[in-house]
């Protein structure tokens, strides 16, 4: 017996015993299975028979073993047993394969331990689809086609990139889950990657069979936008697929003709790229969208690029009938002004919207507003508004810009006389505007202005016909500004046949010299020198400021004046360098004193008040010894003395004509006091009042005056008949019981200020015209100007008040410690203030800023400050009875050195004469020489008007006066 037969009988016996019960049966089954697992063929055949035996207790175990042997060996015998017995192996991978062969795949797929086990089974099914056994493959494919629920998604997730699994799953109507679905689209779309392959049509068919989500459409649209593949283009169109990225989204919406869905905020950044795209369909659709966009889309499109740049997008937007935003319109108008184009012009006119800026806009923006109005309307009521009128003139000077031609049509159609004059005035200053005036025969209405206009705009024939003798041009030259005068002079030289001297200097040369510039003076002098008109040139030099004269005197070619005194002045001019005069002028402006102390009067006895005469170098003095007198300041002695007063003389006012008014004062308010006029006939009583006369002020010529009293009355008198009028201060609106501590007058206007605990200003007829509650009790006051009043309080407060209607407003204020007195300096706009620091301050009356300071010596303190009516002299009284006399005339010297001599008067010679001694003492030599030249020029000029050497001189030094 062969070994094979013995093994077969042994296996059969063990199989038989294994069918029984007990330990021997179990031992036999174990040995049989052990031998079969070891590869014993006979044992395996015996096990296979057990698997076929429906009643054998080991049938199930035998089937599982046979299924495992089949998967391992793929033996057809074992395969037949698996098919017959439907046995399934216990362990993978044999288990899913044998289950598929046995038709029981559904039974084992849902087995496992949790999610991981199910995922492994799904992966096993994927492997079965490529098994070598056809029936296994078919069973797996059938399972894929019929499975439902979660396993569908697990199968897709187990291998979406596997074409075999995909094909099997395509037969299943259930769609994959979102993740797998998205991955499948990615598989399909990635086939057209860097190395393109043919895309799977079955995959696409399945994808289109299932619902197409937005995210799938975004993938399709984005890939088409990047690759422009025709197949993807068809998908985009079929699915309406819109990409997500802004630039790709714009492309897909353009392809779908759905540009209205663009988001104004983020999608429109690539509009320019689409307009330049290679696809003509995309370009056309985007262009159409730009031409018709409205609302937020239109605003966003205009914001993509600067409207001032000429781009394809701007050209399309200009065709849009909808108006751009206001800010864009402003920029488009600016762009049109800078670079005009027919398209831009047509759009701006079609929209009919001018530039518009806020109220606080700059001048350039406001001008743009007005310029933009010109092309939009021909209405006269609009074009003749002042800003638009000015814009019309500006537009005419824009050369070949279309706005210039539009403005030309507007100006000629309006025919407005005032506008024509404005155009002509601009053309006279700007040659760029000449053309319109010449073309249309425009000229100023005023004949003198027209003469200048014809000359400056190069129209000599018209000028000669209008002004053959140059008289009109002379008038026009006199009225022109400096820049225009310079252009007129150049034009006259070019014309070559005008009377230059007559035009520049005019018929009344001296009247124009004061306003003639240095350039005009040199021009005129050079023309006279060229004509060798030496007499006229010398007359011109003597009319000009001495600095200019010293410069122009070098033009004389050996000529000398015939008069000996004139030759003396001529020689001084030649000896003086112009630079010396300029240096002296700077020195005078910076360091020249405004007042020079000339004398000190020592009074024997107390002086209550002083007053300068308005017409002579005389000083009226009031004494507490019931007397008053007049001091001759030229000789320095008491010229007149008046006694017989019944009380101390508290106030005195020299009214001129050899007379003064004196007012008595007393310590008792109920005691009578008199107001007297003292003159050639002796003292004469003008009026008697209760209580003291507290103040006096000159109110006009011929001795007119006003006085305040302790009893609250205001007295006014005339010098002609001595009549005095009295009225209560309550008639002026001042409260009952108030009285005038001080009064001030402005004779030129007739204004009178009455200061007590309140302040009232009256007009020429005595009516109240302004009032104010006094900030402090004023004890001194003076008018700086008709409507400007300076007040000094007892506490040392100095205040400047301006009349504003019926009110008095404070313009400046300062405190002066130890205020000793205050006086306004006529004609200078300054105040003189004395303080306890022995200073005499000269202040700017508008701001109270210091201008110049004089410091006195000694231990005395100022008690009063008085200025002469003409502002030539100043008296400062002190507590020791001394009064300092200051000459203010020398202080005018800095303003005289730079002025034209033709504008000076004999009074100015007094100021220069008073300055010569000052200049010689303690000042540089070039100052003294300049003052000497000015003095010589004025002496020569006024030699027939005044007596040379007759100027006012004060007695210098100290002198005693006893009252």
């Amino acid at each position: 017996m062969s070994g094979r037969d013995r093994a077969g009988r042994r296996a059969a016996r063990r199989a038989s015993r294994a069918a029984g019960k007990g330990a021997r049966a179990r031992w036999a089954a174990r040995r049989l299975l052990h031998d079969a697992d070891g590869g014993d063929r006979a044992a395996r055949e015996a096990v296979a028979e057990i698997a076929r035996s429906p009643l054998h207790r080991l049938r199930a175990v035998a089937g599982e073993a046979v299924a495992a042997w089949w998967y391992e060996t793929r033996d057809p015998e074992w395969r037949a047993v698996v098919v017959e017995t439907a046995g399934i192996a216990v362990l993978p991978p044999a288990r899913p394969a044998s289950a598929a062969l046995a038709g029981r795949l559904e039974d084992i797929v849902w087995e496992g331990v949790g999610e991981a086990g199910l995922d492994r089974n799904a992966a096993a099914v994927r492997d079965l689809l490529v098994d070598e056994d056809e029936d296994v493959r078919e069973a797996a494919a059938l399972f894929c086609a019929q499975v439902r629920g979660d396993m569908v998604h697990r199968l897709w997730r187990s291998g979406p990139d596997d074409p075999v699994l995909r094909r099997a799953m395509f037969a299943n109507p259930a769609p994959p889950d979102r993740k797998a679905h998205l991955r499948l689209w990615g598989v399909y779309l990635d086939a057209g990657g860097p190395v393109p392959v043919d895309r799977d049509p079955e995959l696409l068919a399945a994808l289109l069979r299932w619902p197409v989500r937005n995210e799938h459409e975004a993938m399709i649209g984005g890939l088409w936008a990047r690759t422009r593949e025709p197949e993807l283009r068809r998908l985009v169109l079929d699915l309406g697929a819109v990409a997500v990225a802004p630039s790709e989204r714009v492309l897909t919406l353009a392809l779908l003709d759905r540009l209205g869905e663009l988001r104004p905020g983020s999608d429109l950044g690539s509009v320019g790229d689409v307009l330049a795209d290679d696809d003509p369909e995309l370009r056309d659709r985007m262009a159409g969208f730009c031409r018709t966009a409205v609302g937020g889309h239109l605003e966003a499109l205009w914001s993509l690029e600067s409207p001032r740049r000429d781009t394809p997008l701007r050209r399309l937007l200009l065709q849009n009938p909808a108006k751009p935003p206001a800010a864009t319109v402003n920029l488009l108008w600016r762009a049109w002004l800078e670079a005009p184009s027919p398209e831009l012009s047509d759009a701006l006119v079609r929209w009919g919207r001018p530039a518009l800026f806020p109220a606080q806009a700059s001048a350039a923006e406001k001008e743009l507003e007005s310029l933009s109005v010109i092309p939009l309307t021909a209405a006269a009521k609009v074009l003749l508004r002042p800003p638009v009128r000015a814009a019309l003139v500006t537009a005419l000077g824009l050369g070949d810009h279309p706005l210039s031609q539009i403005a030309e049509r507007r100006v000629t159609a309006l025919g407005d006389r005032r506008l024509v004059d404005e155009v002509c005035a601009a053309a006279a200053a700007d040659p760029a505007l000449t053309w319109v005036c010449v073309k249309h025969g425009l000229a100023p209405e005023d004949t003198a202005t027209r003469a200048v206009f014809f000359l400056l705009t190069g129209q000599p024939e018209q000028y000669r016909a209008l002004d053959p003798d140059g008289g009109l041009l002379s008038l026009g030259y006199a009225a022109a500004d400096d820049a225009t005068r310079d252009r007129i002079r150049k034009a006259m030289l070019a014309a070559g046949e005008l009377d230059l001297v007559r035009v520049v200097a005019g018929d009344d040369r001296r009247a124009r010299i004061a306003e003639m510039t240095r350039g005009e003076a040199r021009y005129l002098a050079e023309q006279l020198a060229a004509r060798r008109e030496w007499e006229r040139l010398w007359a011109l030099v003597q009319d000009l400021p001495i600095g200019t004269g010293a410069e122009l005197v070098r033009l004389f070619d050996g000529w000398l004046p015939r008069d000996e005194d004139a030759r003396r002045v001529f020689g001084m001019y030649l000896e003086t360098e112009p630079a010396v005069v300029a240096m002296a002028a700077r020195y005078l402006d910076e360091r020249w004193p405004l007042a020079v102390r000339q004398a000190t009067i020592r009074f024997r006895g107390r002086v209550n008040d002083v007053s300068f005469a308005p017409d002579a170098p005389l000083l009226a003095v009031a004494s507490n010894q019931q007397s008053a007198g007049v001091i001759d300041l030229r000789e320095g002695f008491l010229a007149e003395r008046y006694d017989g007063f019944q009380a101390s003389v508290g106030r005195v006012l020299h009214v001129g004509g050899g007379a003064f008014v004196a007012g008595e004062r007393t310590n008792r308010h109920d005691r009578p006091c008199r107001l007297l006029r003292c003159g050639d006939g002796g003292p004469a009583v003008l009026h008697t009042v209760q209580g003291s006369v507290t103040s006096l002020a000159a109110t006009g010529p011929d001795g007119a005056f006003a006085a305040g009293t302790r009893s609250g009355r205001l007295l006014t008198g005339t010098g002609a008949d001595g009549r005095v009028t009295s009225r209560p201060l309550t008639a002026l609106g001042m409260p009952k019981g108030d009285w005038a501590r001080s009064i001030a007058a402005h004779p030129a206007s007739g204004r009178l200020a009455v200061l007590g605990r309140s302040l009232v200003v009256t007009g020429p007829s005595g009516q109240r015209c302004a009032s104010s509650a006094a900030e402090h009790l004023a004890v001194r006051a003076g008018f700086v100007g008709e409507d400007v009043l300076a007040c000094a309080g007892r506490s040392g407060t100095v205040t400047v008040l301006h009349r504003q209607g019926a009110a008095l407003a404070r313009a400046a204020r300062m405190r002066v410690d130890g205020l000793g007195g205050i006086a306004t300096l006529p004609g200078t706009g300054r105040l003189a203030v004395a303080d306890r620091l022995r200073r005499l301050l000269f202040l700017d009356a508008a701001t109270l800023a210091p201008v110049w300071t004089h410091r006195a010596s000694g231990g005395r303190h100022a008690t009063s400050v008085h200025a002469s009516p003409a502002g030539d002299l100043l008296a400062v009284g002190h507590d020791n009875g001394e009064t300092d006399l200051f000459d203010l005339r020398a202080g005018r010297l800095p303003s005289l050195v730079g002025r034209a001599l033709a504008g000076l008067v004999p009074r100015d010679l007094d100021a220069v004469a008073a300055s010569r001694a000052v200049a010689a003492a303690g000042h540089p030599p070039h100052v003294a020489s300049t003052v000497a030249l000015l003095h010589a020029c004025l002496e020569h000029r006024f030699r027939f008007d005044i007596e040379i050497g007759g100027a006012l001189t004060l007695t210098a030094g100290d002198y005693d006066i006893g009252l």
Side-chain angles (χ1 to χ4, degrees):
M1 181 181 294
S2 63
R4 179 178 177 84
D5 292 337
R6 287 194 298 271
R9 286 197 296 270
R10 183 171 61 248
R13 287 194 302 271
R14 289 175 177 173
S16 176
R17 289 171 183 164
K21 295 181 181 180
R24 291 187 66 186
R26 291 192 295 272
W27 179 86
R30 285 196 299 270
R31 292 303 300 174
L32 179 63
L33 291 174
H34 179 270
D35 293 342
D37 287 340
D40 188 327
R41 179 74 181 181
R44 287 189 175 185
E45 288 176 351
V47 172
E49 286 301 323
I50 294 174
R52 290 189 181 99
S53 301
L55 300 178
H56 198 289
R57 72 179 185 85
L58 295 178
R59 180 179 184 275
V61 174
E64 292 173 353
V66 172
W69 300 336
W70 165 76
Y71 184 80
E72 178 183 353
T73 65
R74 296 300 173 108
D75 189 315
E77 183 179 351
W78 310 141
R79 182 182 187 280
V81 174
V82 173
V83 172
E84 179 183 350
T85 64
I88 302 174
V90 175
L91 298 175
R95 183 173 177 79
S98 59
L101 183 62
R104 295 174 58 192
L105 185 59
E106 181 75 23
D107 297 341
I108 64 96
V109 164
W110 299 104
E111 296 176 345
V113 286
E115 297 291 327
L118 293 176
D119 287 338
R120 281 196 301 271
N121 291 340
V125 173
R126 181 190 65 183
D127 295 338
L128 296 178
L129 290 171
V130 294
D131 195 89
E132 62 186 58
D133 191 297
E134 181 178 359
D135 290 340
V136 171
R137 295 197 301 272
E138 289 179 358
L142 180 62
F143 176 81
C144 289
Q146 295 178 347
V147 70
R148 297 290 183 269
D150 185 55
M151 187 54 70
V152 174
H153 307 312
R154 293 180 186 277
L155 285 169
W156 276 119
R157 286 200 297 267
S158 67
D161 298 336
D162 188 340
V164 177
L165 176 62
R166 291 202 307 267
R167 191 168 293 107
M169 293 301 296
F170 288 161
N172 194 316
D177 65 0
R178 180 178 178 277
K179 187 174 181 180
H181 199 172
L182 187 65
R183 177 59 186 154
L184 287 171
W185 273 111
V187 170
Y188 175 76
L189 296 175
D190 287 345
V195 183
V197 297
D198 292 337
R199 291 189 170 88
D200 187 348
E202 287 186 84
L203 176 57
L204 177 61
L207 289 170
L208 295 179
R209 186 170 66 248
W210 299 322
V212 180
R213 299 184 175 93
N214 291 338
E215 56 195 350
H216 308 148
E217 294 178 356
M219 292 174 64
I220 297 167
L223 186 57
W224 169 78
R226 294 190 294 274
T227 65
R228 304 297 181 90
E229 292 184 45
E231 184 178 347
L232 297 179
R233 180 189 180 97
R234 287 192 296 273
L235 271 179
V236 170
L237 291 171
D238 291 343
L239 299 175
V242 179
V244 174
S247 59
E248 298 169 356
R249 174 179 166 83
V250 174
L251 285 170
T252 52
L253 287 174
L255 179 62
L256 296 169
D257 200 12
R258 290 162 49 190
L259 288 170
E261 298 177 23
L262 288 173
R263 297 181 295 255
S266 59
D267 289 343
L268 297 182
S270 58
V271 167
D273 296 334
V274 180
L275 291 173
D277 197 272
D278 293 335
D279 190 327
E281 187 176 359
L282 300 183
R283 294 198 306 270
D284 292 345
R285 287 178 178 171
M286 181 57 74
F289 173 71
C290 293
R291 293 190 191 99
T292 58
V294 295
H297 285 134
L298 180 62
E299 186 172 352
L301 287 171
W302 275 116
S303 69
L304 292 177
E305 299 175 3
S306 171
R308 297 174 70 174
R309 295 174 51 207
D310 184 15
T311 62
L313 176 58
R314 192 186 81 166
R315 289 193 287 273
L316 290 169
L317 292 175
L318 291 178
Q319 300 171 32
N320 194 318
K323 299 176 182 179
T328 301
V329 173
N330 295 345
L331 293 173
L332 289 172
W333 278 113
R334 178 63 67 191
W336 183 66
L337 286 176
E338 296 172 352
S341 69
E343 298 82 7
L344 182 54
S345 177
D346 292 344
L348 289 170
V349 173
R350 183 176 68 252
W351 293 325
R353 175 183 287 179
L356 186 63
F357 293 95
Q360 63 272 22
S362 65
E365 291 171 334
K366 286 300 184 183
E367 182 182 56
L368 177 60
E369 274 190 13
S370 300
L371 288 172
S372 67
V373 170
I374 297 172
L376 302 181
T377 181
K381 66 178 182 180
V382 177
L383 295 175
L384 293 180
R385 294 172 182 166
V388 184
R389 297 164 66 93
L392 281 168
V393 177
T394 301
L396 290 172
L398 295 180
D400 58 355
H401 195 286
L403 186 58
S404 179
Q405 285 72 51
I406 298 172
E408 177 189 1
R409 294 195 297 270
R410 299 286 191 257
V411 170
T412 54
L414 287 170
D416 182 74
R417 180 69 256 176
R418 182 180 171 190
L419 178 58
V420 169
D421 282 349
E422 291 172 3
V423 172
C424 293
D430 184 0
L433 292 169
T434 300
W435 68 272
V436 69
C437 298
V438 174
K439 179 179 177 180
H440 296 282
L442 305 181
E445 185 175 26
D446 179 73
T447 54
T449 306
R450 191 183 307 173
V452 173
F453 170 78
F454 285 145
L455 183 68
L456 293 180
T457 54
Q459 303 181 71
E461 294 80 7
Q462 289 86 339
Y463 168 73
R464 294 189 189 97
L466 176 68
D467 188 27
D469 63 352
L472 292 175
L473 183 59
S474 178
L475 293 175
Y477 184 89
D481 57 31
D482 292 343
T484 305
R485 288 183 179 183
D486 183 63
R487 295 181 59 224
I488 292 173
R489 292 196 299 271
K490 293 177 180 177
M492 288 190 299
L493 289 177
E497 53 186 67
L498 298 173
D499 186 349
L500 306 178
V501 177
R502 178 182 180 186
V503 171
V504 175
D507 294 328
D508 186 3
R509 184 188 66 207
R510 291 192 177 187
R512 197 177 295 172
I513 287 293
E515 62 182 40
M516 187 178 293
T517 65
R518 199 179 194 92
E520 286 179 303
R522 170 159 284 281
Y523 169 85
L524 187 54
E526 289 174 347
Q527 299 308 311
L528 291 171
R531 300 179 182 186
R532 305 188 70 79
E533 297 185 26
W534 307 121
E535 293 286 352
R536 297 181 68 184
L537 177 56
W538 173 235
L540 174 65
V541 167
Q542 294 179 87
D543 286 342
L544 296 171
I546 58 173
T548 307
E551 178 183 344
L552 299 182
V553 78
R554 271 83 181 154
L555 295 174
F556 289 92
D557 186 14
W559 179 88
L560 290 174
R562 290 190 297 270
D563 177 72
E564 181 179 353
D565 189 59
R567 286 197 300 272
R568 176 180 68 87
V569 176
F570 189 87
M572 293 181 69
Y573 265 121
L574 289 174
E575 294 170 359
T576 304
E577 292 292 334
V580 169
V581 179
M583 185 166 55
R586 288 194 297 272
Y587 179 91
L588 293 172
D589 285 338
E590 296 171 0
R591 303 182 61 180
W592 189 254
L594 295 185
V596 178
R597 191 182 70 84
Q598 291 285 50
T600 297
I601 305 174
R602 293 190 179 91
F603 290 103
R604 294 192 297 275
R606 178 176 174 179
V607 172
N608 291 329
D609 196 16
V610 299
S611 174
F612 286 100
D615 55 355
L618 302 174
L619 183 69
V621 181
S623 168
N624 68 337
Q625 301 298 320
Q626 299 183 2
S627 63
V630 177
I631 301 173
D632 187 330
L633 300 178
R634 192 190 301 270
E635 301 296 336
F637 71 96
L638 184 64
E640 301 177 47
R641 176 187 173 91
Y642 296 89
D643 297 311
F645 293 94
Q646 297 176 359
S648 174
V649 182
R651 288 287 177 258
V652 67
L653 173 68
H654 206 297
V655 294
F660 65 88
V661 177
E664 297 176 335
R665 77 175 183 184
T666 177
N667 292 330
R668 294 177 55 182
H669 66 275
D670 57 348
R671 180 178 174 181
C673 289
R674 298 177 301 168
L675 187 69
L676 301 97
R677 186 178 191 278
C678 303
D680 293 338
V685 177
L686 299 176
H687 196 74
T688 301
V689 297
Q690 292 297 114
S692 301
V693 176
T694 59
S695 53
L696 283 170
T699 58
D702 303 325
F705 66 89
T709 72
R710 179 62 179 81
S711 57
R713 311 289 293 187
L714 177 65
L715 309 180
T716 55
T718 60
D721 55 11
R723 183 170 57 88
V724 174
T725 301
S726 174
R727 59 173 172 160
L729 294 182
T730 53
L732 303 179
M734 296 181 71
K736 186 175 181 180
D738 200 2
W739 50 278
R741 274 74 171 179
S742 178
I743 61 174
H746 188 263
S749 65
R751 299 238 193 274
L752 183 71
V754 182
L755 298 94
R757 298 192 181 279
S758 58
L759 192 161
V760 172
V761 177
T762 66
S765 302
Q767 77 283 6
R768 185 176 70 170
C769 58
S771 63
S772 171
E775 296 184 10
H776 51 267
L777 190 61
V779 295
R780 281 289 182 185
F783 276 94
V784 179
E786 180 177 346
D787 292 317
V788 183
L789 187 69
C791 307
R794 184 171 294 164
S795 63
T797 301
V798 178
T799 306
V800 177
L801 301 173
H802 281 240
R803 188 174 78 92
Q804 296 178 353
L808 293 166
R810 186 175 70 191
R813 185 177 184 179
M814 70 178 294
R815 180 172 178 80
V816 178
D817 290 334
L819 179 68
I822 179 174
T824 57
L825 306 180
T828 65
R830 296 179 184 140
L831 304 177
V833 177
D835 67 5
R836 69 167 57 179
L837 299 178
R838 299 185 298 279
R839 297 182 305 178
L840 180 60
L841 306 174
F842 288 79
L843 308 176
D844 183 290
T847 63
L848 297 181
V851 178
W852 184 75
T853 301
H854 170 79
R855 292 185 181 275
S857 59
R860 55 199 183 145
H861 297 294
T863 57
S864 63
V865 180
H866 297 271
S868 64
D872 292 340
L873 304 173
L874 188 72
V876 181
H878 299 87
D879 56 1
N880 65 349
E882 294 180 347
T883 296
D884 290 336
L885 295 179
F886 289 86
D887 194 339
L888 302 181
R889 294 172 300 173
R892 300 205 306 271
L893 179 65
S895 65
L896 300 178
V897 168
R899 287 176 56 188
L901 298 180
L904 302 185
V905 295
R907 179 171 175 265
D908 296 321
L909 176 58
D910 287 350
V912 176
S915 302
R916 292 199 65 177
V918 179
H923 294 283
H926 62 271
V927 174
S929 64
T930 298
V931 176
L933 173 61
L934 180 59
H935 186 255
C937 290
L938 293 181
E939 274 192 333
H940 179 71
R941 186 177 196 85
F942 301 128
R943 63 191 182 279
F944 302 119
D945 298 323
I946 61 171
E947 180 183 353
I948 300 300
L952 168 64
T953 58
L954 300 180
T955 299
D958 301 343
Y959 49 94
D960 294 338
I961 299 293
L963 293 175

